Amino acid sequence: MATMITSQDFIDADVVAAKIEAGDFTVYVSPEFEINGETFRVVLDGHHSFAAASEAGADADIVEMSATDDDRVALINDPEAFLAACWMDGEYRNAKTGAAIW
């Protein structure tokens, strides 16, 4: 099973509350890819929805994106370039636990 990772640190509590109220728990992720024998997928969009699902005790609705949906996915065979293109505002960490990845 792939570890879902993110580099977005900023989460607005008001946006999370609105997502909970709306039941918006859709999270868009990359296809799986490997680095040093470990399998990952990146949260491409829906960081606030993921936080809302976690806070509400609900399952996130995970939607895998393709290169047609998100141009960055076209870089996935070059993990370094892909991660650079997906970078938000923090270090990459496990989206569920918050633990640092590298």
Side-chain angles (χ1 to χ4, degrees), residues 12-20 48-49 52:
D12 184 317
D14 291 336
V15 173
V16 172
K19 299 275 185 185
I20 292 170
H48 287 87
S49 294

Side-chain angles (χ1 to χ4, degrees), residues 7 12 17 19 22 27 29 39 58 64 66 68 82 85-86:
S7 66
D12 184 317
K19 299 275 185 185
V27 180
V29 301
T39 307
E64 183 176 291
S66 69
T68 302
F82 175 65
C86 295

Side-chain angles (χ1 to χ4, degrees), residues 29-31 44 65-77 82 86:
V29 301
S30 73
L44 300 171
M65 305 294 276
S66 69
T68 302
D69 302 315
D70 188 316
D71 292 344
R72 298 172 295 181
V73 174
L75 299 170
I76 205 160
N77 291 323
F82 175 65
C86 295

